[in-house]
Amino acid sequence: MVKHIILWTLKEMSDSEKESVKAAIKEGLESLKGKIPGLVDIKVNTNGRLTSSTADLMLDSTFESAEALKGYSKHPEHVLIADTKVRPYIVSRDCLDFEV
């Protein structure tokens, strides 16, 4: 199994826009469960914003293997969501992938 963790920081926008963008990212990415081979679990945390945080939201996903993660990154449904709901609103992205 492989964990794929992403931390994103959103571009400057109003609080209401930020909430709308975070909800769309969560809905889009979590809708991929059951649609992409090897994707075991996928969750987006949009509520964990303590003052010590330096990111706005987190993707926590689990894959059957490193090959499944590679397939996810190129899968058309993932690419569509990433290109329309995530990338246009992100100023920074950090990733940590590891075997469990």
Side-chain angles (χ1 to χ4, degrees), residues 10 12-24:
L10 297 173
E12 287 296 319
M13 60 186 79
S14 72
D15 288 344
S16 63
E17 286 176 299
K18 216 175 238 197
E19 291 308 310
S20 177
V21 167
K22 290 192 310 186

Side-chain angles (χ1 to χ4, degrees), residues 57-68:
L57 62 164
M58 178 187 80
L59 170 70
D60 180 356
S61 52
T62 307
F63 294 85
E64 291 175 353
S65 65
E67 286 302 313

Side-chain angles (χ1 to χ4, degrees), residues 74-91:
K74 297 175 185 177
H75 193 282
E77 290 195 55
H78 169 256
V79 171
L80 177 64
I81 290 167
D83 286 347
T84 60
K85 297 183 184 234
V86 181
R87 291 184 183 115
Y89 306 101
I90 300 302
V91 69

